[in-house]
Amino acid sequence: MTKGNPQTDLHGKPENLMTQVIEVNDIEQLEDYRLTWNALHGETRGGSFFQTLDWLQCYWRHFGEGQRLRVLMVSSGGKPVGIVPLTVIRERTGVGSMRVLTYPLHAWGWFYGPIGPHPTATLTAAMQHIAGSPRDWDMIDLRWVDSDRTDRGRTESAMTAAGFLANKRVWQPTAVVDTEGGWDAYMAAKTTKQRNNLRRYEKRVAKLGDVAYERYRPLGTAHDDDDPRWDFYDDCVRVASESWQATAEDGTTISDPKVGAFFRDSYELAVRHGMADLTLLKVGDRPIAFSYNYVNNGYVMGVRFGYVSDLSKAGVGNVMYLRMLEDCFEREDATFDLGVGSLDIKRFWQTSQVNSYCYTHYPIASPRSQVLRLKHWWDGRKEDDSKQLAG
């Protein structure tokens, strides 16, 4: 599907050129846009592995059944300026099943957005295209928006300009370690008690045998460095299978049979892109802790982390974090994103918390959507009241 709209220029100013939006609904047809996609991804501020075409194809192969792909390729004056990958997915809500138009991330990561160097023009054109297309959704729910650091109001402005009243709310907080200032300054910010505890954990783990920390971060195919090192990866899976996560009901660890193949395929693709980052802590020949991460331009995203259950009291998880973060400082990574969930534990390591946001449009023509809007409003009000009481 192709649609041309009078639009703004790449700086948000009126222009006479036509902005063109091509909608692609077939995952296989996206291969025709690979070179364009790769080029635009390389110019994306804060671009992640989740925004690559390879990741989307992998995700769709494993989980695309029942979804409708809506990838919007935006060009201006005949030049590609951005991509907005979207999907329509049916979800259960508190008011019944609804068709939701959202980003195809599905909680495998925690930040997402348009691809390319001109997010304002891209989002504006994309939302106007959605507004002018037949509605195959009951609600727009653009989740995982990094509003504070990269989006800066673009999503809300683009939705509003297209006639979509956008309701903003916090989606998920994530714990972040910024390396500015160096390792010594980072550790000096800990209390004396905290530093003593870390030394005690290291001594406990050292008593278990010869301790080794290993990290594998290949540069990728472009640098002739794309060996997956399956032995290293399989050691991570082995640790995951011996961790408490192996019995978790949500089934999202890398050893879980339902998603293990997806993680394995994703990892191999990340290796090719030079965006894979694995860490292991070993005692002798036994791997006892791991971290499965993605990395790009100094931003490390910790996707999965675990350690063997029988050594938890020895503090192997803390020693793993300590070694891994110290190594990030030495490599001069800019940021290590520890991820969402278990924030009480991660608070010890973080330098800050960053929120991802959700921008939701509830169309008036959808009664069920309006009921859900009221429910979200009421839930938010109760949460605010609880915070006030706690304060």
Side-chain angles (χ1 to χ4, degrees):
M1 179 186 298
T2 303
K3 183 177 180 179
N5 293 311
Q7 195 47 261
T8 59
D9 68 12
L10 302 183
H11 302 286
K13 298 178 181 179
E15 64 173 15
N16 294 322
L17 294 174
M18 295 292 286
T19 296
Q20 184 184 54
V21 178
I22 298 175
E23 178 169 338
V24 181
N25 307 116
D26 187 337
I27 192 69
E28 294 182 0
Q29 290 182 4
L30 287 178
E31 195 61 38
D32 296 338
Y33 298 91
R34 176 171 291 277
L35 293 179
T36 297
W37 194 304
N38 290 347
L40 290 172
H41 183 274
E43 298 181 88
T44 304
R45 183 187 175 193
S48 71
F49 174 60
F50 297 106
Q51 292 169 297
T52 64
L53 175 57
D54 278 333
W55 187 86
L56 177 59
Q57 290 173 329
C58 182
Y59 164 77
W60 205 258
R61 186 167 63 251
H62 286 273
F63 307 112
E65 185 176 356
Q67 301 187 48
R68 180 171 186 252
L69 189 68
R70 299 192 67 177
V71 176
L72 308 182
M73 317 291 296
V74 181
S75 61
S76 181
K79 179 183 177 181
V81 296
I83 305 171
V84 180
L86 296 169
T87 183
V88 179
I89 184 170
R90 186 168 288 278
E91 296 182 346
R92 293 181 180 178
T93 72
V95 297
S97 176
M98 295 186 67
R99 299 168 301 169
V100 180
L101 180 68
T102 187
Y103 289 127
L105 184 61
H106 209 65
W108 293 109
W110 30 98
F111 292 112
Y112 205 89
I115 299 159
H118 305 294
T120 301
T122 300
L123 278 168
T124 301
M127 289 298 101
Q128 290 189 353
H129 173 84
I130 293 297
S133 304
R135 184 164 65 84
D136 59 353
W137 43 269
D138 301 309
M139 177 176 69
I140 298 176
D141 214 29
L142 296 184
R143 306 158 182 169
W144 309 292
V145 178
D146 193 353
S147 183
D148 297 328
R149 297 182 299 182
T150 58
D151 182 75
R152 298 188 177 278
R154 292 183 176 93
T155 297
E156 186 170 12
S157 295
M159 292 178 69
T160 301
F164 298 133
L165 179 64
N167 291 266
K168 177 184 177 182
R169 67 185 192 276
V170 173
W171 186 245
Q172 290 176 317
T174 179
V176 170
V177 178
D178 294 311
T179 64
E180 185 178 358
W183 178 251
D184 291 340
Y186 173 74
M187 290 304 296
K190 307 296 181 188
T191 65
T192 300
K193 180 179 179 181
Q194 289 171 334
R195 292 194 295 271
N196 287 338
N197 286 339
L198 290 175
R199 283 191 285 268
R200 185 163 60 251
Y201 291 137
E202 287 195 288
K203 289 179 181 179
R204 288 179 183 174
V205 174
K207 290 180 180 179
L208 300 174
D210 294 331
V211 180
Y213 169 80
E214 300 176 12
R215 192 168 206 148
Y216 184 56
R217 187 187 289 185
L219 297 176
T221 301
H223 298 273
D224 196 26
D225 183 22
D226 58 2
D227 180 0
R229 282 288 309 276
W230 291 118
D231 59 325
F232 203 106
Y233 182 85
D234 288 340
D235 278 345
C236 293
V237 174
R238 176 183 168 187
V239 175
S241 69
E242 296 180 35
S243 72
W244 68 267
Q245 297 167 343
T247 59
E249 294 182 358
D250 56 7
T252 62
T253 189
I254 63 174
S255 64
D256 192 279
K258 295 187 291 294
V259 296
F262 166 68
F263 272 115
R264 193 176 185 90
D265 291 348
S266 300
Y267 165 71
E268 185 174 13
L269 294 169
V271 167
R272 296 177 190 172
H273 282 271
M275 296 181 179
D277 180 58
L278 297 182
T279 67
L280 273 174
L281 190 69
K282 289 185 174 182
V283 171
D285 293 330
R286 184 190 181 190
I288 60 172
F290 84 99
S291 184
Y292 176 113
N293 316 312
Y294 296 133
V295 60
N296 190 38
N297 294 327
Y299 190 100
V300 186
M301 179 176 286
V303 180
R304 292 294 184 271
F305 179 94
Y307 48 88
V308 295
S309 297
D310 62 300
L311 297 180
S312 60
K313 291 183 179 180
V316 295
N318 285 297
V319 173
M320 180 60 165
Y321 270 128
L322 183 67
R323 298 285 184 92
M324 180 170 59
L325 291 174
E326 184 176 13
D327 187 50
C328 285
F329 276 84
E330 290 179 358
R331 291 171 181 262
E332 298 184 342
D333 293 328
T335 304
F336 193 107
D337 189 329
L338 298 171
V340 300
S342 304
L343 293 180
D344 288 342
I345 297 172
K346 295 171 182 175
R347 189 170 291 114
F348 174 85
W349 302 101
Q350 73 181 34
T351 56
S352 63
Q353 278 193 15
V354 177
N355 292 325
S356 66
Y357 291 84
C358 178
Y359 291 86
T360 308
H361 171 67
Y362 311 89
I364 295 176
S366 173
R368 185 171 293 178
S369 176
Q370 289 300 309
V371 174
L372 185 61
R373 178 183 65 83
L374 292 174
K375 183 180 186 301
H376 285 167
W377 172 81
W378 180 249
D379 290 345
R381 183 173 178 176
K382 287 194 297 183
E383 183 177 350
D384 290 341
D385 290 344
S386 297
K387 288 180 180 178
Q388 290 179 4
L389 291 173

